[in-house]
Amino acid sequence: MKQGLTPHSTPTVNDIARVAEVSLATVDRVLNARPGVREKTVEKVNQAIAELGYVRDTAAANLARGRVYRFVFILPSNSNEFLTSLEAQIEALGNDIRRDRTQLSFVRVAAFDPVALADAIAAIDVTAVDGVAIFGPETPSVRDSIAHLKAHGVTVVSLVADIPSSGRDHYVGVDNIAAGRTAAHLLGRFVGPQRGKILVLTGSMLARDHLERRLGFDEVMGRDFPHLDILASLEGRDDPDLIARLMPGALHDNAGVIGIYSSAAGNEGLLRFLNSQRSAPRPVVVAHELTQLSRSALQDGLFDAVISQDTGHLVRSAVRIMRAERDRTPIHAAQERIRIDIYLKENMPL
């Protein structure tokens, strides 16, 4: 039997205070990770918690204190379907979890603009926010802004594109190098033994997710499909109009393109171009993110495969992780792992 407990009794904060020989106020500070407690005292309290087998009822504690979680998502301002879906998932989940005393909001900043992103992070009121999920580029100014949030006790997760050199707490998204490897394997298999060129369409090589996808793609192409000539990345900045303008020149300057890897969110502009070239030989196309546009492209035979990640899972996972960090409770890694989904015409979900 644990020290000082009767059979079937549940340890309380009073038991922790008694066993650790400290005040209830000290126990509360330790449980809530507040400053002002000596390291030796923290160790005594944690030892008492382990000895007693105390499990904190965070929901009851938060309700008693009237606590409300406030989480903010910072997203690029591009209007592509993937971002629109993320936005919709944030709004839908926010409506569902209001009863759990959790408020979600989002702000949009110029895509691929680290200065604008750093300014948006710096503008956050650290006294009114518990956690921030950031989808944006990794630069020194962004890292400094994240450090400011962390210094004031705000939980930070990177979303879709990691920012590992910052002080962020967790990354929520697919393994983008593995996603690029997957794209290369699919494209190489679909093309087969014929020789030719592969065009890689990306958003910006300053974006870590796009860069990592390219690295994974090149690794597998060079290893398993050396007969294919992989062209330099065509940067479309996820701008459909820009991509539609760039594509004719890119194919004119590079005769013999038999495959296209659309590694970012430029599907609308790419599809405009492909639809205008219906009479020409169709290249094999592997793209990213299952949206209404890419579903139609699969159905019409303009895309051969789509690599995707579930936007609902991304948002739910980010919120669960930020709450767990605030409550100092375990994070279930398997539950929060974002899968790389592969869709063909034959297996698109309804």
Side-chain angles (χ1 to χ4, degrees):
M1 186 184 305
K2 295 181 177 65
Q3 179 178 335
L5 296 181
T6 59
H8 310 300
S9 66
T10 300
T12 67
V13 290
N14 289 292
D15 296 315
I16 297 171
R18 177 174 48 76
V19 172
E21 298 180 333
V22 298
S23 67
L24 283 172
T26 298
V27 173
D28 182 73
R29 288 192 191 95
V30 174
L31 288 174
N32 291 288
R34 286 197 287 269
V37 184
R38 292 183 302 169
E39 186 61 33
K40 185 175 180 180
T41 304
V42 172
E43 291 176 2
K44 285 175 61 179
V45 172
N46 285 331
Q47 182 178 348
I49 289 170
E51 187 178 314
L52 292 166
Y54 173 79
V55 178
R56 190 182 188 197
D57 187 343
T58 55
N62 289 337
L63 183 61
R65 293 199 305 269
R67 178 176 186 175
V68 176
Y69 298 91
R70 295 177 177 86
F71 301 133
V72 177
F73 288 75
I74 301 180
L75 307 176
S77 59
N78 282 348
S79 58
N80 62 69
E81 287 186 304
F82 178 69
L83 284 165
T84 300
S85 178
L86 271 177
E87 212 174 274
Q89 293 290 346
I90 293 167
E91 290 178 336
L93 182 61
N95 289 332
D96 288 344
I97 62 176
R98 282 177 182 168
R99 61 182 177 274
D100 294 329
R101 308 181 70 81
T102 303
Q103 296 177 0
L104 305 184
S105 62
F106 63 86
V107 296
R108 299 287 288 266
V109 300
F112 311 121
D113 186 337
V115 175
L117 177 59
D119 288 345
I121 297 171
I124 288 174
D125 182 355
V126 295
T127 66
V129 170
D130 296 292
V132 181
I134 300 170
F135 180 2
E138 178 184 31
T139 67
S141 60
V142 171
R143 291 195 295 267
D144 289 345
S145 297
I146 290 174
H148 171 73
L149 293 180
K150 293 296 300 172
H152 288 82
V154 177
T155 297
V156 178
V157 300
S158 51
L159 188 71
V160 180
D162 198 7
I163 313 176
S165 62
S166 71
R168 62 96 173 112
D169 295 283
H170 291 275
Y171 164 60
V172 180
V174 297
D175 179 335
N176 282 299
I177 292 178
R181 291 191 191 114
T182 303
H185 182 83
L186 291 169
L187 194 51
R189 291 282 184 171
F190 288 151
V191 167
Q194 64 178 312
R195 293 181 177 275
K197 298 175 182 178
I198 305 298
L199 176 67
V200 179
L201 178 61
T202 190
S204 168
M205 294 308 290
L206 293 177
R208 189 179 185 91
D209 52 334
H210 301 179
L211 176 61
E212 288 182 339
R213 290 172 186 176
R214 178 71 203 237
L215 289 173
F217 187 81
D218 286 350
E219 176 191 336
V220 171
M221 278 292 176
R223 184 190 68 206
D224 297 342
F225 307 102
H227 62 288
L228 297 173
D229 181 13
I230 315 304
L231 301 174
S233 293
L234 183 66
E235 296 188 59
R237 302 189 69 80
D238 291 350
D239 181 336
D241 295 331
L242 175 60
I243 292 164
R245 291 197 304 270
L246 290 174
M247 285 300 300
L251 267 64
H252 178 270
D253 295 340
N254 296 284
V257 170
I258 59 174
I260 297 174
Y261 173 35
S262 180
S263 68
N267 291 336
E268 181 185 348
L270 174 60
L271 286 169
R272 279 191 221 163
F273 170 77
L274 293 175
N275 275 309
S276 72
Q277 303 290 310
R278 290 277 187 165
S279 60
R282 186 183 71 81
V284 172
V285 179
V286 174
H288 272 264
E289 311 311 346
L290 189 68
T291 66
Q292 190 56 51
L293 270 175
S294 57
R295 283 171 180 268
S296 298
L298 284 172
Q299 191 65 43
D300 294 344
L302 293 174
F303 284 180
D304 295 273
V306 171
I307 297 168
S308 194
Q309 53 193 318
D310 188 309
T311 53
H313 192 181
L314 285 167
V315 173
R316 292 190 299 272
S317 182
V319 171
R320 284 193 297 261
I321 287 172
M322 287 189 285
R323 281 196 62 156
E325 284 289 340
R326 302 307 294 172
D327 291 338
R328 301 180 70 199
T329 56
I331 293 168
H332 303 290
Q335 181 184 26
E336 310 310 346
R337 186 174 299 114
I338 308 298
R339 299 180 309 175
I340 298 173
D341 296 320
I342 301 171
Y343 293 106
L344 311 175
K345 178 178 180 179
E346 290 75 13
N347 74 333
M348 281 188 295
L350 298 176

